[in-house]
Amino acid sequence: MRKRIVAGNWKMNKNLTEALSLTSEVVNMVRDEVRGDVEVVLCTPFIYLTSLKKYTDEVTRISLGAQNCHQNASGAYTGEVSAAMLASIEVPYVLVGHSERRQYFGENDELLAQKVKIALENGLKPIFCCGESLQQRQNEDFLAIVKAQLTASLFDLSPEDFGKVVIAYEPIWAIGTGLTASSDQAQEMHAELRAHVASHYGAQVADDTTILYGGSCNEKNAAELFACPDVDGGLIGGASLKSREFTNIVKARM
Ligand code: PEP
């Protein structure tokens, strides 16, 4: 059975004091208010992961994720962080292919395939982000474009490895813009992606694949989006920086 997940992507926000407060607030609220089988993942800047672990370790349903990892195992890559380093501090999740990495750091499908592979080799669960630009949506070839992102970066994986990947559909035009995909738009894409997974890996693997929606998801629209049959949870940017709002989004997924 597929997991329900609400993940926060803090991006490059918060100083250490703020990071500790936000995490401790989220941990307390989730422990006291959240029931059911939803899993919460906090994808924070690398530098805070070790300090935050003692908070997230208190509640089994909460875990940490990194926002990136390098595609190579180790070596002369100044400023980078490897999947093995993340594994060594017991971080279970890593975002791969966020649209900001694709756009500002030139990450392409082939590179992202390498990142997914090395993450899996090190026992990390990749949250693989995909999505179309506004122009692509307007040209109406957006379904094919997003499916091609999955094919290029994920479909060389064995079924067993693919089963460890979480997909996050994030239309680029909805990220940080306040423009959210309607529940019909989200459901259409999620169903299409699930069918695409089924065509390659079979119906059972597709049915077990967690597909998150991301893009201006907030406490007001989360329940409607999460009610879609193929939307298994959310990847939350801006709204994950406020403990009350983020917890309310988690509660919308219970
Ligand atoms: C994101 O960056 O993954 C995201 C979904 O951002 P926001 O919720 O702010 O649109």
Side-chain angles (χ1 to χ4, degrees):
M1 214 180 94
R2 59 192 189 243
K3 283 186 186 170
R4 299 164 165 224
I5 297 176
V6 175
N9 174 15
W10 291 9
K11 312 192 188 195
M12 196 174 71
N13 290 298
K14 304 288 180 192
N15 64 29
L16 176 61
T17 309
E18 293 163 345
L20 295 172
S21 312
L22 175 57
T23 304
S24 118
E25 286 166 22
V26 169
V27 165
N28 288 334
M29 287 179 190
V30 167
R31 185 185 44 221
D32 295 346
E33 301 173 29
V34 175
R35 299 287 167 263
D37 60 2
V38 60
E39 187 174 333
V40 178
V41 182
L42 304 180
C43 299
T44 80
F46 292 126
I47 189 171
Y48 304 137
L49 288 166
T50 306
S51 314
L52 299 182
K53 198 164 179 302
K54 61 177 175 296
Y55 294 85
T56 55
D57 277 353
E58 281 177 30
V59 179
T60 46
R61 70 168 74 245
I62 306 185
S63 53
L64 291 170
Q67 297 173 16
N68 182 30
C69 67
H70 197 266
Q71 66 275 19
N72 289 325
S74 63
Y77 302 103
T78 302
E80 293 292 327
V81 171
S82 72
M85 292 173 188
L86 295 171
S88 76
I89 58 166
E90 296 173 12
V91 167
Y93 286 94
V94 59
L95 296 180
V96 176
H98 190 279
S99 64
E100 288 150 17
R101 301 286 322 167
R102 293 176 189 256
Q103 187 180 351
Y104 304 134
F105 302 94
E107 297 194 355
N108 59 25
D109 293 336
E110 293 70 35
L111 178 83
L112 298 173
Q114 293 172 40
K115 291 194 176 202
V116 167
K117 190 164 169 285
I118 200 148
L120 288 165
E121 280 168 8
N122 283 280
L124 303 175
K125 289 173 269 191
I127 301 177
F128 178 79
C129 306
C130 55
E132 80 286 2
S133 68
L134 185 56
Q135 197 193 4
Q136 288 165 336
R137 170 137 311 239
Q138 284 163 346
N139 290 342
E140 295 194 351
D141 54 355
F142 56 94
L143 294 171
I145 283 169
V146 182
K147 286 191 285 187
Q149 292 172 351
L150 259 54
T151 306
S153 298
L154 301 180
F155 280 10
D156 280 343
L157 297 173
S158 67
E160 195 195 344
D161 274 348
F162 183 85
K164 295 169 192 154
V165 176
V166 173
I167 294 172
Y169 166 58
E170 299 207 298
I172 299 168
W173 47 272
I175 296 181
T177 57
L179 289 175
T180 314
S182 66
S183 50
D184 284 349
Q185 288 172 319
Q187 173 56 25
E188 177 188 36
M189 178 63 81
H190 283 230
E192 194 77 25
L193 295 180
R194 201 178 299 287
H196 189 49
V197 172
S199 72
H200 191 73
Y201 288 107
Q204 189 59 56
V205 171
D207 197 45
D208 289 344
T209 302
T210 297
I211 310 181
L212 310 180
Y213 168 79
S216 296
C217 185
N218 58 42
E219 61 189 346
K220 294 198 177 68
N221 59 31
E224 190 184 336
L225 286 160
F226 296 166
C228 299
D230 286 293
V231 177
D232 304 312
L235 178 56
I236 317 298
S240 73
L241 299 173
K242 297 176 214 133
S243 54
R244 181 71 270 163
E245 177 157 21
F246 182 65
T247 307
N248 287 347
I249 295 170
V250 175
K251 288 165 79 175
R253 179 60 293 187
M254 285 197 303

